[in-house]
Amino acid sequence: MKNFPLILLAIVLFFDSCKHSEKKSSESSVVVASFEIDTVMIDSKGYFFYLTEALGKSFLSRDTDILYNLNQKIPQLELVDLNSLSLLDSIPLEREGPTGIGNYPVFDGFQLTKNGDIFFFAWEELVKLTHDRTRVVKYRFDNLPLQGDVPLPGEVIRYRGLVTDDGKYYIGFYGSAEDTHSRYGLVKIDLKELTGEKINLPIFQELVSYEIKTKTSSDYPSTYVEPVFLSQDGDKLLVSAAPVNEVYRVDLESGEFDRISFNSKLTSNKVEITYPTVNPQNEGLYERWKQVSFYGFHWDEQSQQFWRNTNQSFIEAETRPNKVHLTFFDKNLNQVGEYALPDDWKIQGAQFFTQGMYWQFINIEDEMAFVRLKPKFEKP
């Protein structure tokens, strides 16, 4: 099992004239009085789940509590009902032909829209399999006649991002054509009208200072860049990054945004660059991971709150256990509570927030299982 993949490189950008404001979240108003933990096995009904990637390529339907897991080797989708804790179905996929999703050995991820269309994020294109599974549409943005605010010469659009729930827009990173990990900002593309609009946020310039370059024997050093998380909240886009305790709330239509800062009483609010950013081994990475990482925002319908976890990983876990915290936010992104999870809680493999619980995938003798943590909330 792997931790959340660390994959993108931030570089300098030039800002739009988008209107924006900066805010601070209100203080906590909810207390986690207690919690319950259990472990549940998923009834496979004799089927062998694809667990090689620890559900790293999976998607949870917030409306139905159906978990879709992508088996990239066959390929096919595995459907798990988190209500009955059992296999629901499997959907075979084609590589070639009119419904072929492509011969890529690895997809960065996939997503379902409300009408059932499935979008696959490939290395060179965005692939849509229609809801009736009869047709595939492929978007290669460098070959399409995009109009509006499109990439300039030397810029390209990346194929790892988010499709809005209605399937209308693709939102992803754009950056240098010569640097596959670079991120200048975000671009929103209308998939029907083929128009583009850049969304440039200060976060992308600020993340440059967190890069860690590791010298190798090759001419090109490997570069660690901080993860950036995207999630949709109705007509808003939430954008956050691992090293800072804040979120950008972007209006999907106008591009205007709020920058909301939070204050934690349990962790630091920002990663301090006390580690080497250029090093011959991986010392800088190990030192970085000992500091806090803020993950993305997830809406839980049952508790009517956004949930987010933070993590500090220690290589010497025998003497210094990992530290994981849950933070809760109301619909307006006011921080309403935070709680420290049991010592050495492992964030390895996929994690989900639904039914008022935090679901953490674990592999038990090659069977799909979850450790579930259910907090009990009280108002002070």
Side-chain angles (χ1 to χ4, degrees), residues 328-343:
F328 309 98
F329 308 85
D330 66 18
K331 189 64 174 176
N332 295 318
L333 290 173
N334 294 306
Q335 181 176 315
V336 296
E338 56 183 340
Y339 192 73
L341 271 64
D343 286 348

PDB file of all heavy atoms in Angstrom, residues 328-343:
ATOM      1  N   PHE A 328     -13.241  19.404  11.323  1.00  0.00           N
ATOM      2  CA  PHE A 328     -14.603  19.480  10.811  1.00  0.00           C
ATOM      3  C   PHE A 328     -14.963  20.933  10.502  1.00  0.00           C
ATOM      4  O   PHE A 328     -14.575  21.851  11.236  1.00  0.00           O
ATOM      5  CB  PHE A 328     -15.587  18.902  11.834  1.00  0.00           C
ATOM      6  CG  PHE A 328     -15.193  17.534  12.324  1.00  0.00           C
ATOM      7  CD1 PHE A 328     -14.519  17.370  13.529  1.00  0.00           C
ATOM      8  CD2 PHE A 328     -15.463  16.408  11.566  1.00  0.00           C
ATOM      9  CE1 PHE A 328     -14.131  16.125  13.979  1.00  0.00           C
ATOM     10  CE2 PHE A 328     -15.079  15.147  12.005  1.00  0.00           C
ATOM     11  CZ  PHE A 328     -14.419  14.997  13.213  1.00  0.00           C
ATOM     12  N   PHE A 329     -15.709  21.118   9.408  1.00  0.00           N
ATOM     13  CA  PHE A 329     -16.097  22.450   8.954  1.00  0.00           C
ATOM     14  C   PHE A 329     -17.579  22.429   8.580  1.00  0.00           C
ATOM     15  O   PHE A 329     -18.086  21.434   8.053  1.00  0.00           O
ATOM     16  CB  PHE A 329     -15.281  22.852   7.715  1.00  0.00           C
ATOM     17  CG  PHE A 329     -13.794  22.713   7.885  1.00  0.00           C
ATOM     18  CD1 PHE A 329     -13.165  21.491   7.662  1.00  0.00           C
ATOM     19  CD2 PHE A 329     -13.017  23.791   8.269  1.00  0.00           C
ATOM     20  CE1 PHE A 329     -11.794  21.346   7.810  1.00  0.00           C
ATOM     21  CE2 PHE A 329     -11.639  23.668   8.420  1.00  0.00           C
ATOM     22  CZ  PHE A 329     -11.032  22.441   8.196  1.00  0.00           C
ATOM     23  N   ASP A 330     -18.271  23.538   8.845  1.00  0.00           N
ATOM     24  CA  ASP A 330     -19.674  23.602   8.451  1.00  0.00           C
ATOM     25  C   ASP A 330     -19.785  23.932   6.969  1.00  0.00           C
ATOM     26  O   ASP A 330     -18.788  24.069   6.259  1.00  0.00           O
ATOM     27  CB  ASP A 330     -20.450  24.594   9.329  1.00  0.00           C
ATOM     28  CG  ASP A 330     -20.011  26.046   9.149  1.00  0.00           C
ATOM     29  OD1 ASP A 330     -19.350  26.371   8.133  1.00  0.00           O
ATOM     30  OD2 ASP A 330     -20.313  26.867  10.039  1.00  0.00           O
ATOM     31  N   LYS A 331     -21.022  24.078   6.505  1.00  0.00           N
ATOM     32  CA  LYS A 331     -21.259  24.292   5.073  1.00  0.00           C
ATOM     33  C   LYS A 331     -20.610  25.569   4.574  1.00  0.00           C
ATOM     34  O   LYS A 331     -20.236  25.674   3.397  1.00  0.00           O
ATOM     35  CB  LYS A 331     -22.771  24.331   4.803  1.00  0.00           C
ATOM     36  CG  LYS A 331     -23.141  24.337   3.327  1.00  0.00           C
ATOM     37  CD  LYS A 331     -22.716  23.054   2.635  1.00  0.00           C
ATOM     38  CE  LYS A 331     -23.210  22.984   1.209  1.00  0.00           C
ATOM     39  NZ  LYS A 331     -22.718  21.784   0.480  1.00  0.00           N
ATOM     40  N   ASN A 332     -20.432  26.551   5.458  1.00  0.00           N
ATOM     41  CA  ASN A 332     -19.816  27.822   5.081  1.00  0.00           C
ATOM     42  C   ASN A 332     -18.304  27.821   5.287  1.00  0.00           C
ATOM     43  O   ASN A 332     -17.671  28.874   5.221  1.00  0.00           O
ATOM     44  CB  ASN A 332     -20.446  28.959   5.882  1.00  0.00           C
ATOM     45  CG  ASN A 332     -21.905  29.142   5.548  1.00  0.00           C
ATOM     46  OD1 ASN A 332     -22.300  29.083   4.391  1.00  0.00           O
ATOM     47  ND2 ASN A 332     -22.730  29.338   6.578  1.00  0.00           N
ATOM     48  N   LEU A 333     -17.746  26.637   5.561  1.00  0.00           N
ATOM     49  CA  LEU A 333     -16.310  26.464   5.764  1.00  0.00           C
ATOM     50  C   LEU A 333     -15.802  27.183   7.003  1.00  0.00           C
ATOM     51  O   LEU A 333     -14.648  27.626   7.059  1.00  0.00           O
ATOM     52  CB  LEU A 333     -15.512  26.895   4.528  1.00  0.00           C
ATOM     53  CG  LEU A 333     -15.667  25.957   3.323  1.00  0.00           C
ATOM     54  CD1 LEU A 333     -14.978  26.542   2.095  1.00  0.00           C
ATOM     55  CD2 LEU A 333     -15.090  24.580   3.634  1.00  0.00           C
ATOM     56  N   ASN A 334     -16.649  27.296   8.018  1.00  0.00           N
ATOM     57  CA  ASN A 334     -16.180  27.682   9.338  1.00  0.00           C
ATOM     58  C   ASN A 334     -15.674  26.422  10.043  1.00  0.00           C
ATOM     59  O   ASN A 334     -16.353  25.390  10.050  1.00  0.00           O
ATOM     60  CB  ASN A 334     -17.306  28.306  10.166  1.00  0.00           C
ATOM     61  CG  ASN A 334     -17.766  29.624   9.586  1.00  0.00           C
ATOM     62  OD1 ASN A 334     -16.984  30.530   9.357  1.00  0.00           O
ATOM     63  ND2 ASN A 334     -19.065  29.726   9.324  1.00  0.00           N
ATOM     64  N   GLN A 335     -14.499  26.517  10.632  1.00  0.00           N
ATOM     65  CA  GLN A 335     -13.981  25.374  11.372  1.00  0.00           C
ATOM     66  C   GLN A 335     -14.793  25.212  12.648  1.00  0.00           C
ATOM     67  O   GLN A 335     -14.898  26.130  13.445  1.00  0.00           O
ATOM     68  CB  GLN A 335     -12.508  25.583  11.709  1.00  0.00           C
ATOM     69  CG  GLN A 335     -11.897  24.417  12.473  1.00  0.00           C
ATOM     70  CD  GLN A 335     -10.418  24.609  12.721  1.00  0.00           C
ATOM     71  OE1 GLN A 335      -9.690  25.000  11.821  1.00  0.00           O
ATOM     72  NE2 GLN A 335      -9.978  24.347  13.950  1.00  0.00           N
ATOM     73  N   VAL A 336     -15.358  24.009  12.838  1.00  0.00           N
ATOM     74  CA  VAL A 336     -16.233  23.806  13.992  1.00  0.00           C
ATOM     75  C   VAL A 336     -15.690  22.772  14.977  1.00  0.00           C
ATOM     76  O   VAL A 336     -16.283  22.549  16.028  1.00  0.00           O
ATOM     77  CB  VAL A 336     -17.654  23.389  13.538  1.00  0.00           C
ATOM     78  CG1 VAL A 336     -18.297  24.503  12.744  1.00  0.00           C
ATOM     79  CG2 VAL A 336     -17.628  22.094  12.740  1.00  0.00           C
ATOM     80  N   GLY A 337     -14.567  22.145  14.667  1.00  0.00           N
ATOM     81  CA  GLY A 337     -14.019  21.188  15.619  1.00  0.00           C
ATOM     82  C   GLY A 337     -12.826  20.464  15.051  1.00  0.00           C
ATOM     83  O   GLY A 337     -12.625  20.413  13.836  1.00  0.00           O
ATOM     84  N   GLU A 338     -12.005  19.911  15.918  1.00  0.00           N
ATOM     85  CA  GLU A 338     -10.884  19.081  15.504  1.00  0.00           C
ATOM     86  C   GLU A 338     -10.612  18.054  16.587  1.00  0.00           C
ATOM     87  O   GLU A 338     -10.944  18.255  17.760  1.00  0.00           O
ATOM     88  CB  GLU A 338      -9.641  19.925  15.214  1.00  0.00           C
ATOM     89  CG  GLU A 338      -9.172  20.805  16.350  1.00  0.00           C
ATOM     90  CD  GLU A 338      -7.982  21.659  15.948  1.00  0.00           C
ATOM     91  OE1 GLU A 338      -7.274  21.337  14.972  1.00  0.00           O
ATOM     92  OE2 GLU A 338      -7.747  22.662  16.645  1.00  0.00           O
ATOM     93  N   TYR A 339     -10.020  16.935  16.172  1.00  0.00           N
ATOM     94  CA  TYR A 339      -9.858  15.831  17.109  1.00  0.00           C
ATOM     95  C   TYR A 339      -8.641  15.004  16.723  1.00  0.00           C
ATOM     96  O   TYR A 339      -8.392  14.736  15.539  1.00  0.00           O
ATOM     97  CB  TYR A 339     -11.106  14.941  17.092  1.00  0.00           C
ATOM     98  CG  TYR A 339     -11.160  13.939  18.218  1.00  0.00           C
ATOM     99  CD1 TYR A 339     -11.423  14.349  19.524  1.00  0.00           C
ATOM    100  CD2 TYR A 339     -10.945  12.593  17.973  1.00  0.00           C
ATOM    101  CE1 TYR A 339     -11.454  13.436  20.555  1.00  0.00           C
ATOM    102  CE2 TYR A 339     -10.984  11.669  19.007  1.00  0.00           C
ATOM    103  CZ  TYR A 339     -11.243  12.102  20.305  1.00  0.00           C
ATOM    104  OH  TYR A 339     -11.278  11.203  21.334  1.00  0.00           O
ATOM    105  N   ALA A 340      -7.867  14.586  17.723  1.00  0.00           N
ATOM    106  CA  ALA A 340      -6.704  13.735  17.496  1.00  0.00           C
ATOM    107  C   ALA A 340      -7.137  12.276  17.473  1.00  0.00           C
ATOM    108  O   ALA A 340      -7.794  11.798  18.401  1.00  0.00           O
ATOM    109  CB  ALA A 340      -5.665  13.959  18.591  1.00  0.00           C
ATOM    110  N   LEU A 341      -6.781  11.559  16.432  1.00  0.00           N
ATOM    111  CA  LEU A 341      -7.105  10.149  16.326  1.00  0.00           C
ATOM    112  C   LEU A 341      -6.162   9.317  17.187  1.00  0.00           C
ATOM    113  O   LEU A 341      -5.137   9.813  17.643  1.00  0.00           O
ATOM    114  CB  LEU A 341      -7.035   9.703  14.868  1.00  0.00           C
ATOM    115  CG  LEU A 341      -8.342   9.847  14.068  1.00  0.00           C
ATOM    116  CD1 LEU A 341      -8.741  11.302  13.944  1.00  0.00           C
ATOM    117  CD2 LEU A 341      -8.215   9.219  12.692  1.00  0.00           C
ATOM    118  N   PRO A 342      -6.492   8.053  17.416  1.00  0.00           N
ATOM    119  CA  PRO A 342      -5.622   7.200  18.235  1.00  0.00           C
ATOM    120  C   PRO A 342      -4.196   7.182  17.701  1.00  0.00           C
ATOM    121  O   PRO A 342      -3.960   7.332  16.493  1.00  0.00           O
ATOM    122  CB  PRO A 342      -6.281   5.822  18.121  1.00  0.00           C
ATOM    123  CG  PRO A 342      -7.720   6.115  17.846  1.00  0.00           C
ATOM    124  CD  PRO A 342      -7.719   7.346  16.997  1.00  0.00           C
ATOM    125  N   ASP A 343      -3.235   7.008  18.595  1.00  0.00           N
ATOM    126  CA  ASP A 343      -1.829   6.999  18.202  1.00  0.00           C
ATOM    127  C   ASP A 343      -1.569   5.996  17.084  1.00  0.00           C
ATOM    128  O   ASP A 343      -2.105   4.885  17.075  1.00  0.00           O
ATOM    129  CB  ASP A 343      -0.939   6.643  19.398  1.00  0.00           C
ATOM    130  CG  ASP A 343      -0.822   7.795  20.383  1.00  0.00           C
ATOM    131  OD1 ASP A 343      -1.231   8.924  20.025  1.00  0.00           O
ATOM    132  OD2 ASP A 343      -0.321   7.575  21.502  1.00  0.00           O
TER     133      ASP A 343
END
